[in-house]
Amino acid sequence: MRPSPSRLLNILVPIKRAVDYAVKIRVNPQQTGIDTNVKHSMNPFDEIAVEEAVRLRDRLKTEVKQIKTVSIGPPKSLDVLRQALAMGADSAIHVEVPESSPAPEPLAVAKALQAIIAREKEPVDMVILGKQAIDDDSGVTGQMLAGLLGWSQATFASKVEVDVSKGEVTVTREIDGGGEEIRCKLPVIITTDLRLNEPRYASLPNIMKAKKKPVEKLNAEALGVDFTPQLKTLKISEPPKRVGGGKVTSVQELVAKLKEAGITAV
Amino acid sequence: MLRTAAGIWHRGCARSYATATKPHALVFLEHNQGVLEPGSLSALTAAEQLGGQVSALIVGGASHVASAVEQAKKLKGVNTILHSASPAYEEPVAEDLSPLLKAILDSSVYTHVVSATSSTGKSLLPRVSAQLDAPTVSDVTSVEHDASTNATTFTRPIYAGNAIATVEAPSSILIKFFTVRGTAFSPALAQEGSEAKVGAVDPVHAATPLSEHLKTIVVKSDRPDLGIASRIVSGGRALKDAKTFADTLYPLADVLGAAVGASRAAVDAGYADNSLQVGQTGKVVAPQLYMALGISGAIQHLAGMKDSKLIVAINKDPDAPIFQVADVGLVADLYEAVPALIEQLKKD
C-alpha cells in the first residue's frame, strides 16, 4: 500500500551550536559572559534529535518525506548544520545572527522557528528538539514553540512511535519519579531526553556528501523576528568555589569525620 | 468561566489596581495523589520573597484537589487558593492545563507565575508564557522584586552550574514566569492561624484534545525520595552492573537512611533507573550528606550535587576530579571500603 502524498511526514530538527560539553568553562573578568574561544559542538540533546529523525526514516521508510535541520546562530553554526546533514538530514536552513550580537533568547528562537514553519512550502508535521541546550540550561524552546503553534507537545521523550496513517505519535516521557506514556496528534513537538537513542557518528563519505546538500541562508529580518533580548543580563559570575577537604586514609577515619558532622547510622 | 471565584478575583483585582506595583504571584502548586510536592513548597517560598500577594493554583481530580487544598490552606504566606477539578486533570498533560492557566491569567492581574522546576512545571510554564509573549526564566536560585521599578531580578545557574547568571526581567515583561530550584529555597511551612481564601475555578477544556495520557510508569522505592532526602548514597560506573549496584549501595543507604542516586554513566549502563540520575540533566540535590561511590566527578554530575553540605567520595583513582570538591575523600576499592564502612557505622 502506497501512502497518499498528504500522509508523508516532514520533520524539522532545530539544532544549536554550543560550547562542547567536556569544556571547563571560564567566566570572563568583566563578568559579562564566558570565554567562548573554546571548542564548540552540536548541543548533545540536538544530536539525539537528529538521530531520532534519521531513525524514524529508517523505520518508516518512504513515509518520511524529508528531514530539514535549522540552526539560529553565528556564521560558525554552519558547522553543526553540516554535521546534521552528514548524519542524514536532507537540507538545512541557517538563520544567521551576527557574531557580535547576543544569543537570541528561547522565545525569539521559538518565534523564528514558527516563522520558518509558516513559510515552508510543505506543512511540517513534526519538530524534534533537544530538551535543553547545555549552555543556557533553559529547556523551554520546544514548549514555547508548541504554545505558539498550538500543537501537541511531548517533552523529555525516551521513546517515540509514529503511526503515520492515524496521524498519531505515542511517546514515553521521562518524568519525576518514573515515566509516562502519552499519545499526541500530529503535528507534534518532541523534545529529546538522553535515553531516546545513541547518536551515530557521521562517516567520512557522508561528511563529503553533506557538503553538497543545500543550505538556505536567512536572517531575522527575512523572518520578521526581533532577536533583541527581553531579559537584561546584569552579570555572569563564578559560582562559589568549593574547596575539597582533603583525604582520609582509612574507613575508621572516614567514619570519625562523619560522626564529627553529626552523621551516624539510623 | 471563572464563576465561583469571581468574588476573590474582584477583591484581588481592586487591591492590585490601587497599588499598581504590588506584585501578585500565582504559584502552580503540584501534588502527588493529593499530597503537596516539596518542590512546590519551595516555589511558594520564592513567590513570597517577591513581597506581595501569593495565590496558589491546585488542579487535579476532585478528591485529590480537596486534600491538597486542605494542606495548602494552612501554609504560611498563601493568601488565596484557586482550585480546579476535572477528570481530565487526574493525569494531565501540558496541553490540558495550559488553556486553564491561560484563562486565569487573561482574566486577572497576576504579575508573576511560579512553579517548581519539575517535569510538569517545565512542560507547562513555557508553553503558556509564549502564548502571552513572555519568557520563562528557568530554575532560579534567588529572586528579588523591586516594586518601584516593577523589575524582578533572578539568579540562575548556567553551563551546568559553572557560571551564575544574574538577569533582570524589566517592567516591560508584564507577567514574569519562572521556575524555582527546590534546593535553593526552604519549603513553605504550615503556620497556626493561616487560613487562605479558597475559590473554585471551572475547568477549561480544549475543543479538540491534542494529547492524552495513556499510563504512568512509577518507579517503586521504599527509600526516601531523591529530591528531598537529607542523605544520599550515589553510585557510578564503577559499580559494574545492576546487581552489584544494588548489592553494594542499598545496604549502605539503609544503614544511613539515605536515598540512592546515580551518575549518568550508571544510568546509561542500565545499573539504575533514569529517575535516580543526579546531574545537569537529572535531579539537582543538596542534601546534608552526599556520598559519591565510584563516581569520577564529571562537571555534568557535579552540577547536580555540589551544593550538598558534606560531600564524601570513595574512589580508586586518587586523581578523580570528585576529590577536588569532596570534603572527605577516601582512595580505596569501594568493594572493600563500603562493607567495612557499613560494619563500622553499625558498631558505633
Side-chain angles (χ1 to χ4, degrees):
Chain A
M1 191 191 85
R2 188 178 296 169
S4 58
S6 63
R7 290 273 190 238
L8 299 185
L9 283 184
N10 285 302
I11 305 176
L12 183 72
V13 185
I15 60 176
K16 185 178 191 179
R17 177 180 178 263
V19 170
D20 189 83
Y21 72 92
V23 170
K24 176 94 178 76
I25 63 110
R26 220 168 300 194
V27 173
N28 66 21
Q30 304 83 40
Q31 295 202 317
T32 53
I34 68 146
D35 175 15
T36 53
N37 207 358
V38 293
K39 187 186 173 202
H40 283 63
S41 53
M42 195 194 301
N43 178 45
F45 291 104
D46 303 351
E47 281 189 63
I48 296 172
V50 176
E51 176 68 32
E52 191 62 21
V54 176
R55 285 190 192 191
L56 280 177
R57 172 147 61 195
D58 291 347
R59 287 207 295 272
L60 302 168
K61 311 285 179 209
T62 52
E63 288 180 299
V64 173
K65 182 149 195 217
Q66 63 159 349
I67 301 170
K68 204 173 237 189
T69 181
V70 53
S71 191
I72 301 168
K76 280 183 184 151
S77 302
L78 193 56
D79 299 350
V80 294
L81 288 172
R82 290 283 176 211
Q83 187 191 339
L85 293 170
M87 287 172 74
D90 305 312
S91 63
I93 301 174
H94 182 194
V95 181
E96 202 171 305
V97 176
E99 188 73 64
S100 53
S101 33
E105 288 174 350
L107 183 55
V109 170
K111 285 179 185 172
L113 294 173
Q114 183 187 22
I116 286 168
I117 289 165
R119 67 192 283 287
E120 282 293 297
K121 282 184 204 79
E122 295 187 50
V124 173
D125 308 284
M126 182 183 286
V127 184
I128 312 179
L129 307 91
K131 78 164 175 180
Q132 82 193 66
I134 59 163
D135 45 13
D136 69 11
D137 280 335
S138 285
V140 298
T141 306
Q143 298 88 305
M144 287 182 157
L145 181 60
L148 292 174
L149 293 165
W151 290 8
S152 56
Q153 65 180 53
T155 46
F156 326 127
S158 60
K159 191 174 172 200
V160 175
E161 284 167 294
V162 187
D163 187 329
V164 182
S165 61
K166 281 194 189 150
E168 284 176 355
V169 187
T170 307
V171 178
T172 307
R173 306 176 57 221
E174 297 293 339
I175 58 170
D176 300 335
E180 79 172 351
E181 206 174 283
I182 60 169
R183 184 157 53 216
C184 299
K185 286 212 175 88
L186 291 176
V188 65
I189 307 285
I190 295 170
T191 74
T192 63
D193 211 295
L194 279 172
R195 278 223 290 201
L196 185 55
N197 61 47
E198 189 85 34
R200 71 192 63 192
Y201 289 102
S203 67
L204 188 60
N206 284 341
I207 292 171
M208 300 311 287
K209 270 186 233 158
K211 293 187 175 164
K212 297 204 182 74
K213 290 183 178 175
V215 178
E216 187 184 355
K217 257 200 170 47
L218 290 172
N219 56 29
E221 291 74 50
L223 293 172
V225 179
D226 183 4
F227 281 158
T228 318
Q230 280 186 287
L231 296 167
K232 246 192 276 177
T233 299
L234 305 179
K235 187 170 84 167
I236 305 290
S237 53
E238 293 266 358
K241 276 262 175 303
R242 205 183 165 103
V243 189
K247 291 171 186 161
V248 293
T249 53
S250 69
V251 171
Q252 281 77 14
E253 272 183 68
L254 177 59
V255 173
K257 288 265 189 191
L258 285 176
K259 233 182 184 174
E260 224 175 274
I263 291 162
T264 51
V266 288
Chain B
M1 193 162 38
L2 301 168
R3 163 181 54 83
T4 28
I8 295 166
W9 289 122
H10 260 285
R11 258 172 282 139
C13 293
R15 194 176 299 129
S16 296
Y17 280 131
T19 53
T21 51
K22 202 83 170 127
H24 190 164
L26 180 69
V27 181
F28 180 69
L29 214 52
E30 290 173 61
H31 60 90
N32 180 8
Q33 312 281 314
V35 179
L36 293 179
E37 290 282 359
S40 285
L41 299 178
S42 297
L44 266 181
T45 304
E48 213 192 333
Q49 289 179 7
L50 295 165
Q53 291 275 309
V54 176
S55 294
L57 173 64
I58 296 172
V59 295
S63 63
H64 293 156
V65 163
S67 65
V69 167
E70 279 313 304
Q71 298 157 55
K73 268 202 299 204
K74 300 186 175 63
L75 291 172
K76 182 177 164 284
V78 181
N79 306 105
T80 311
I81 297 165
L82 306 172
H83 59 88
S84 190
S86 159
Y89 297 156
E90 286 270 5
E91 300 277 6
V93 291
E95 294 91 315
D96 291 332
L97 299 174
S98 55
L100 173 72
L101 184 55
K102 189 166 177 296
I104 291 172
L105 296 174
D106 280 343
S107 63
S108 191
V109 287
Y110 294 105
T111 58
H112 296 78
V113 179
V114 191
S115 86
T117 310
S118 59
S119 41
T120 306
K122 284 194 287 188
S123 298
L124 175 64
L125 262 60
R127 184 178 175 96
V128 178
S129 79
Q131 291 172 343
L132 297 171
D133 201 24
T136 293
V137 184
S138 305
D139 210 17
V140 306
T141 49
S142 81
V143 289
E144 202 175 326
H145 185 73
D146 184 337
S148 62
T149 59
N150 204 20
T152 311
T153 306
F154 303 99
T155 60
R156 55 181 301 269
I158 54 175
Y159 293 96
N162 288 294
I164 308 292
T166 308
V167 294
E168 184 194 272
S171 59
S172 58
I173 298 169
L174 299 178
I175 306 182
K176 298 163 177 77
F177 288 75
F178 62 97
T179 68
V180 172
R181 177 172 286 204
T183 56
F185 297 87
S186 53
L189 298 172
Q191 192 184 45
E192 277 297 309
S194 294
E195 192 80 356
K197 281 173 292 200
V198 179
V201 183
D202 282 353
V204 182
H205 298 307
T208 46
L210 297 169
S211 303
E212 58 172 321
H213 171 94
L214 299 178
K215 68 170 182 218
T216 306
I217 307 138
V218 185
V219 180
K220 279 218 159 62
S221 172
D222 303 330
R223 297 192 176 76
D225 183 54
L226 187 59
I228 49 167
S230 66
R231 297 170 177 188
I232 294 171
V233 173
S234 204
R237 199 198 295 275
L239 273 308
K240 287 185 189 147
D241 54 47
K243 188 173 179 302
T244 317
F245 186 93
D247 290 350
T248 314
L249 257 58
Y250 291 2
L252 179 58
D254 291 341
V255 167
L256 288 166
V260 172
S263 72
R264 183 187 160 190
V267 170
D268 279 357
Y271 306 168
D273 188 80
N274 196 54
S275 61
L276 300 185
Q277 188 187 322
V278 173
Q280 181 186 22
T281 58
K283 286 224 165 55
V284 178
V285 298
Q288 292 291 317
L289 169 70
Y290 189 86
M291 214 174 250
L293 306 176
I295 292 176
S296 62
I299 47 178
Q300 291 79 12
H301 186 75
L302 298 184
M305 47 64 86
K306 66 179 175 189
D307 293 326
S308 306
K309 195 120 186 284
L310 184 76
I311 298 176
V312 175
I314 302 179
N315 204 304
K316 245 190 340 202
D317 175 9
D319 300 322
I322 191 78
F323 287 122
Q324 290 163 25
V325 299
D327 299 288
V328 185
L330 176 65
V331 180
D333 182 343
L334 62 94
Y335 298 111
E336 289 163 19
V338 172
L341 183 58
I342 293 170
E343 204 172 306
Q344 194 77 34
L345 281 167
K346 278 184 179 162
K347 217 161 46 185
D348 282 338

